[in-house]
Amino acid sequence: MASRKPSVRHPSHSHPLRSHKAQAEEEIICSGCDLDLIGAAFKCTKSECDYFLHKSCFDLHRETRHKAHPDHSLTLLYSPPYESSTYECSACGEYGSGFVYNCSICQYDLHVGCISMPESEERQGHAHPLTLLYCSPYPNGLIFHCDVCHDTVPDHHWSYYCKECDYGTHLHSCAVEEEEEEAPKRGGGGGSGRGSASNGGNKGGRGSANSELAAMLEAQREMEKMQIELHMEMQRAKIAKKARKACLKLI
Protein backbone atom coordinates (compact mmCIF):
# COMPACT_ATOMS: atom_id res chain seq x y z
CA MET A 1 0.00 0.00 0.00
CA ALA A 2 1.40 3.37 -1.06
CA SER A 3 2.24 5.75 1.76
CA ARG A 4 0.31 8.99 2.05
CA LYS A 5 2.08 12.19 1.09
CA PRO A 6 3.36 14.13 4.11
CA SER A 7 1.35 17.19 5.08
CA VAL A 8 2.69 20.70 5.63
CA ARG A 9 1.36 23.87 7.23
CA HIS A 10 0.97 27.35 5.81
CA PRO A 11 0.03 30.41 7.91
CA SER A 12 -2.69 31.38 5.44
CA HIS A 13 -4.81 28.33 6.23
CA SER A 14 -5.93 26.55 9.38
CA HIS A 15 -5.78 22.99 7.95
CA PRO A 16 -2.70 20.99 6.85
CA LEU A 17 -1.85 21.00 3.14
CA ARG A 18 -0.53 18.23 0.94
CA SER A 19 1.38 18.41 -2.36
CA HIS A 20 -0.79 18.08 -5.46
CA LYS A 21 -0.26 17.97 -9.24
CA ALA A 22 -3.04 20.15 -10.61
CA GLN A 23 -4.45 19.28 -14.04
CA ALA A 24 -6.11 21.75 -16.43
CA GLU A 25 -9.37 19.80 -16.46
CA GLU A 26 -9.73 20.26 -12.69
CA GLU A 27 -10.32 24.00 -13.26
CA ILE A 28 -8.74 24.93 -9.91
CA ILE A 29 -8.32 28.53 -8.76
CA CYS A 30 -5.38 29.31 -6.49
CA SER A 31 -6.58 30.69 -3.17
CA GLY A 32 -3.45 32.86 -3.01
CA CYS A 33 -3.31 34.71 -6.32
CA ASP A 34 -6.87 34.01 -7.64
CA LEU A 35 -5.40 32.69 -10.93
CA ASP A 36 -5.84 29.34 -12.67
CA LEU A 37 -3.75 26.63 -11.06
CA ILE A 38 -1.94 24.03 -13.15
CA GLY A 39 1.14 22.04 -12.12
CA ALA A 40 2.93 21.92 -8.76
CA ALA A 41 0.57 22.92 -5.98
CA PHE A 42 -0.65 22.29 -2.46
CA LYS A 43 -4.21 21.33 -1.51
CA CYS A 44 -6.04 21.14 1.79
CA THR A 45 -6.09 17.68 3.35
CA LYS A 46 -9.75 18.15 4.32
CA SER A 47 -12.03 16.81 1.58
CA GLU A 48 -14.68 19.44 2.29
CA CYS A 49 -12.20 22.33 1.94
CA ASP A 50 -11.39 23.81 -1.47
CA TYR A 51 -8.14 25.51 -0.51
CA PHE A 52 -5.32 25.31 -3.08
CA LEU A 53 -2.03 27.16 -3.50
CA HIS A 54 0.50 27.36 -6.28
CA LYS A 55 3.86 26.14 -5.03
CA SER A 56 5.18 29.62 -5.89
CA CYS A 57 2.47 31.23 -3.73
CA PHE A 58 3.27 28.80 -0.91
CA ASP A 59 6.95 29.87 -1.03
CA LEU A 60 6.43 33.66 -1.09
CA HIS A 61 8.60 35.78 1.24
CA ARG A 62 6.64 37.32 4.11
CA GLU A 63 8.33 40.70 3.64
CA THR A 64 10.09 42.30 0.67
CA ARG A 65 11.21 45.59 -0.83
CA HIS A 66 10.53 46.83 -4.32
CA LYS A 67 11.94 49.64 -6.48
CA ALA A 68 8.43 50.87 -7.19
CA HIS A 69 7.93 51.67 -3.50
CA PRO A 70 11.42 52.30 -2.10
CA ASP A 71 10.51 54.14 1.11
CA HIS A 72 8.83 51.24 2.89
CA SER A 73 8.94 47.47 2.91
CA LEU A 74 5.92 45.48 1.71
CA THR A 75 4.32 42.82 3.88
CA LEU A 76 2.61 39.73 2.50
CA LEU A 77 -0.98 39.60 3.75
CA TYR A 78 -3.13 36.53 3.18
CA SER A 79 -6.30 38.57 2.72
CA PRO A 80 -6.94 42.23 1.86
CA PRO A 81 -6.83 44.59 4.86
CA TYR A 82 -9.96 46.47 3.73
CA GLU A 83 -13.65 46.15 4.60
CA SER A 84 -14.52 45.33 0.97
CA SER A 85 -12.29 42.20 1.15
CA THR A 86 -10.75 43.35 -2.14
CA TYR A 87 -7.90 45.63 -3.12
CA GLU A 88 -6.78 47.50 -6.24
CA CYS A 89 -3.28 46.61 -7.42
CA SER A 90 -1.12 49.72 -7.68
CA ALA A 91 0.83 48.15 -10.55
CA CYS A 92 -1.86 47.06 -13.02
CA GLY A 93 -5.04 48.63 -11.60
CA GLU A 94 -6.95 45.33 -11.43
CA TYR A 95 -8.70 44.10 -8.31
CA GLY A 96 -7.68 41.15 -6.17
CA SER A 97 -9.15 39.24 -3.23
CA GLY A 98 -6.32 36.87 -2.30
CA PHE A 99 -2.73 37.38 -1.20
CA VAL A 100 -1.40 40.94 -1.41
CA TYR A 101 1.89 42.69 -0.77
CA ASN A 102 0.84 45.71 1.27
CA CYS A 103 2.32 48.91 2.69
CA SER A 104 0.02 49.85 5.56
CA ILE A 105 1.52 53.35 5.78
CA CYS A 106 0.72 54.28 2.17
CA GLN A 107 -2.09 51.80 1.42
CA TYR A 108 0.04 50.62 -1.48
CA ASP A 109 -0.95 47.15 -2.72
CA LEU A 110 0.55 44.77 -5.26
CA HIS A 111 -0.60 41.46 -6.69
CA VAL A 112 1.86 38.70 -5.86
CA GLY A 113 2.19 38.17 -9.61
CA CYS A 114 2.84 41.82 -10.43
CA ILE A 115 5.57 42.22 -7.82
CA SER A 116 7.67 39.57 -9.58
CA MET A 117 7.42 41.02 -13.11
CA PRO A 118 10.89 41.16 -14.73
CA GLU A 119 12.66 44.51 -15.25
CA SER A 120 13.06 43.73 -18.95
CA GLU A 121 10.82 41.68 -21.21
CA GLU A 122 10.49 40.83 -24.88
CA ARG A 123 7.07 41.20 -26.41
CA GLN A 124 5.85 39.80 -29.71
CA GLY A 125 5.59 42.51 -32.33
CA HIS A 126 8.58 44.57 -31.22
CA ALA A 127 12.24 44.02 -32.03
CA HIS A 128 13.76 45.40 -28.82
CA PRO A 129 13.46 44.37 -25.17
CA LEU A 130 11.02 46.55 -23.23
CA THR A 131 11.95 48.10 -19.88
CA LEU A 132 9.63 47.99 -16.89
CA LEU A 133 8.52 51.47 -15.81
CA TYR A 134 6.66 52.33 -12.61
CA CYS A 135 4.97 55.46 -13.98
CA SER A 136 4.24 57.09 -17.33
CA PRO A 137 7.24 57.64 -19.62
CA TYR A 138 5.80 60.99 -20.66
CA PRO A 139 6.30 64.28 -18.78
CA ASN A 140 4.25 67.47 -19.10
CA GLY A 141 0.81 65.85 -19.01
CA LEU A 142 1.07 63.85 -22.26
CA ILE A 143 -1.20 60.82 -22.33
CA PHE A 144 0.41 57.40 -22.74
CA HIS A 145 -1.35 54.88 -25.00
CA CYS A 146 -0.66 51.15 -25.17
CA ASP A 147 0.70 50.29 -28.63
CA VAL A 148 -1.04 46.89 -28.57
CA CYS A 149 -4.64 47.69 -27.60
CA HIS A 150 -4.41 51.51 -27.95
CA ASP A 151 -6.11 52.08 -24.59
CA THR A 152 -4.87 54.80 -22.26
CA VAL A 153 -2.42 53.68 -19.56
CA PRO A 154 -2.91 55.73 -16.36
CA ASP A 155 0.16 57.69 -15.30
CA HIS A 156 0.63 55.78 -12.02
CA HIS A 157 0.35 52.28 -13.51
CA TRP A 158 3.35 50.18 -14.49
CA SER A 159 4.13 49.56 -18.14
CA TYR A 160 6.76 48.13 -20.48
CA TYR A 161 8.47 50.70 -22.71
CA CYS A 162 11.13 51.02 -25.42
CA LYS A 163 12.58 54.53 -25.28
CA GLU A 164 14.42 54.16 -28.58
CA CYS A 165 11.20 53.56 -30.51
CA ASP A 166 8.70 55.30 -28.23
CA TYR A 167 6.83 51.99 -28.01
CA GLY A 168 5.01 50.88 -24.87
CA THR A 169 2.42 48.42 -23.58
CA HIS A 170 0.35 47.64 -20.53
CA LEU A 171 2.11 45.72 -17.77
CA HIS A 172 0.40 42.47 -18.76
CA SER A 173 -0.22 41.23 -22.28
CA CYS A 174 -3.45 42.51 -23.77
CA ALA A 175 -5.57 41.31 -26.66
CA VAL A 176 -5.26 42.96 -30.04
CA GLU A 177 -8.59 44.11 -31.42
CA GLU A 178 -9.11 43.85 -35.16
CA GLU A 179 -9.58 47.22 -36.84
CA GLU A 180 -10.87 48.14 -40.25
CA GLU A 181 -7.77 50.20 -40.89
CA GLU A 182 -4.44 49.03 -39.58
CA ALA A 183 -2.91 51.40 -37.05
CA PRO A 184 0.35 53.10 -38.12
CA LYS A 185 3.38 50.96 -37.29
CA ARG A 186 5.71 52.31 -34.64
CA GLY A 187 9.20 51.32 -33.65
CA GLY A 188 10.80 51.63 -37.09
CA GLY A 189 12.43 55.02 -36.60
CA GLY A 190 11.04 58.51 -36.90
CA GLY A 191 8.53 60.19 -34.60
CA SER A 192 5.60 58.07 -33.56
CA GLY A 193 3.40 60.87 -32.23
CA ARG A 194 1.92 58.48 -29.69
CA GLY A 195 1.57 60.89 -26.80
CA SER A 196 -1.42 63.22 -26.96
CA ALA A 197 -1.55 66.54 -25.16
CA SER A 198 -3.92 66.79 -22.22
CA ASN A 199 -5.33 70.14 -23.44
CA GLY A 200 -7.13 68.45 -26.32
CA GLY A 201 -4.40 68.24 -29.00
CA ASN A 202 -4.07 64.82 -30.58
CA LYS A 203 -1.21 63.69 -32.78
CA GLY A 204 -2.48 60.16 -33.33
CA GLY A 205 -5.90 60.90 -34.77
CA ARG A 206 -7.78 59.14 -31.94
CA GLY A 207 -10.06 61.97 -30.88
CA SER A 208 -9.56 64.57 -28.19
CA ALA A 209 -7.73 63.83 -24.96
CA ASN A 210 -10.82 64.83 -22.98
CA SER A 211 -13.01 62.28 -24.72
CA GLU A 212 -10.35 59.60 -24.26
CA LEU A 213 -10.08 60.40 -20.57
CA ALA A 214 -13.86 60.20 -20.17
CA ALA A 215 -13.91 56.87 -22.01
CA MET A 216 -11.09 55.57 -19.81
CA LEU A 217 -12.90 56.51 -16.61
CA GLU A 218 -16.11 54.90 -17.83
CA ALA A 219 -14.24 51.74 -18.79
CA GLN A 220 -12.55 51.63 -15.38
CA ARG A 221 -15.93 51.96 -13.63
CA GLU A 222 -17.35 49.12 -15.72
CA MET A 223 -14.29 46.96 -15.05
CA GLU A 224 -14.54 47.59 -11.30
CA LYS A 225 -18.20 46.62 -11.34
CA MET A 226 -17.50 43.43 -13.34
CA GLN A 227 -14.59 42.42 -11.08
CA ILE A 228 -16.66 42.89 -7.92
CA GLU A 229 -19.54 40.90 -9.43
CA LEU A 230 -17.12 38.15 -10.51
CA HIS A 231 -15.63 37.97 -7.02
CA MET A 232 -19.09 37.71 -5.46
CA GLU A 233 -20.09 35.01 -7.95
CA MET A 234 -16.93 33.00 -7.14
CA GLN A 235 -17.67 33.23 -3.45
CA ARG A 236 -21.28 32.11 -4.00
CA ALA A 237 -20.04 29.18 -6.10
CA LYS A 238 -17.60 28.11 -3.36
CA ILE A 239 -20.33 28.30 -0.71
CA ALA A 240 -22.72 26.29 -2.88
CA LYS A 241 -20.09 23.64 -3.54
CA LYS A 242 -19.36 23.26 0.16
CA ALA A 243 -23.08 23.05 0.89
CA ARG A 244 -23.51 20.24 -1.67
CA LYS A 245 -20.65 18.30 -0.12
CA ALA A 246 -22.16 18.72 3.33
CA CYS A 247 -25.54 17.46 2.08
CA LEU A 248 -23.94 14.42 0.47
CA LYS A 249 -22.30 13.51 3.76
CA LEU A 250 -25.68 13.58 5.48
CA ILE A 251 -27.24 11.14 3.00
Side-chain angles (χ1 to χ4, degrees), residues 33-35 80 82 84-90 92-99 111 220-228 230-231:
C33 63
D34 289 331
L35 299 177
Y82 309 111
S84 64
S85 297
T86 61
Y87 66 92
E88 181 180 352
C89 178
S90 299
C92 67
E94 296 181 2
Y95 281 80
S97 59
F99 291 4
H111 286 124
Q220 286 182 332
R221 284 193 290 268
E222 288 298 319
M223 181 61 70
E224 291 171 6
K225 181 179 178 182
M226 290 173 63
Q227 287 172 331
I228 292 173
L230 177 60
H231 173 70

Side-chain angles (χ1 to χ4, degrees), residues 184-241:
K185 298 293 183 181
R186 303 190 181 93
S192 68
R194 62 187 307 281
S196 56
S198 60
N199 62 0
N202 190 306
K203 300 178 183 178
R206 299 175 190 168
S208 70
N210 288 336
S211 63
E212 287 187 353
L213 180 59
M216 179 194 73
L217 294 174
E218 179 63 26
Q220 286 182 332
R221 284 193 290 268
E222 288 298 319
M223 181 61 70
E224 291 171 6
K225 181 179 178 182
M226 290 173 63
Q227 287 172 331
I228 292 173
E229 289 177 350
L230 177 60
H231 173 70
M232 294 178 65
E233 185 63 31
M234 289 174 61
Q235 294 300 317
R236 285 195 290 267
K238 287 182 179 180
I239 293 172
K241 188 174 182 179

Side-chain angles (χ1 to χ4, degrees), residues 148-224:
V148 176
C149 68
H150 308 302
D151 284 346
T152 302
V153 181
D155 290 347
H156 60 285
H157 285 175
W158 300 5
S159 61
Y160 278 105
Y161 184 69
C162 174
K163 184 177 181 180
E164 179 181 351
C165 304
D166 189 24
Y167 177 96
T169 72
H170 282 97
L171 177 63
H172 300 296
S173 299
C174 42
V176 180
E177 295 183 3
E178 294 183 1
E179 299 178 354
E180 292 182 4
E181 295 182 3
E182 185 177 359
K185 298 293 183 181
R186 303 190 181 93
S192 68
R194 62 187 307 281
S196 56
S198 60
N199 62 0
N202 190 306
K203 300 178 183 178
R206 299 175 190 168
S208 70
N210 288 336
S211 63
E212 287 187 353
L213 180 59
M216 179 194 73
L217 294 174
E218 179 63 26
Q220 286 182 332
R221 284 193 290 268
E222 288 298 319
M223 181 61 70
E224 291 171 6

Side-chain angles (χ1 to χ4, degrees), residues 51-218:
Y51 193 87
F52 292 86
L53 286 179
H54 284 104
K55 185 180 185 302
S56 57
C57 290
F58 183 93
D59 294 332
L60 288 169
H61 294 294
R62 189 62 197 272
E63 188 170 277
T64 189
R65 283 190 172 272
H66 199 279
K67 292 180 180 179
H69 195 70
D71 294 335
H72 308 119
S73 61
L74 302 175
T75 302
L76 178 63
L77 303 179
Y78 302 124
S79 60
Y82 309 111
E83 290 184 4
S84 64
S85 297
T86 61
Y87 66 92
E88 181 180 352
C89 178
S90 299
C92 67
E94 296 181 2
Y95 281 80
S97 59
F99 291 4
V100 55
Y101 274 106
N102 167 266
C103 172
S104 59
I105 299 172
C106 305
Q107 292 189 334
Y108 185 86
D109 302 293
L110 293 178
H111 286 124
V112 296
C114 290
I115 201 171
S116 60
M117 295 297 289
E119 294 188 1
S120 179
E121 184 170 277
E122 294 185 359
R123 291 281 176 93
Q124 186 177 0
H126 193 71
H128 307 136
L130 305 180
T131 301
L132 179 62
L133 301 181
Y134 306 124
C135 60
S136 172
Y138 294 151
N140 306 322
L142 292 178
I143 297 175
F144 175 42
H145 299 280
C146 173
D147 277 292
V148 176
C149 68
H150 308 302
D151 284 346
T152 302
V153 181
D155 290 347
H156 60 285
H157 285 175
W158 300 5
S159 61
Y160 278 105
Y161 184 69
C162 174
K163 184 177 181 180
E164 179 181 351
C165 304
D166 189 24
Y167 177 96
T169 72
H170 282 97
L171 177 63
H172 300 296
S173 299
C174 42
V176 180
E177 295 183 3
E178 294 183 1
E179 299 178 354
E180 292 182 4
E181 295 182 3
E182 185 177 359
K185 298 293 183 181
R186 303 190 181 93
S192 68
R194 62 187 307 281
S196 56
S198 60
N199 62 0
N202 190 306
K203 300 178 183 178
R206 299 175 190 168
S208 70
N210 288 336
S211 63
E212 287 187 353
L213 180 59
M216 179 194 73
L217 294 174
E218 179 63 26

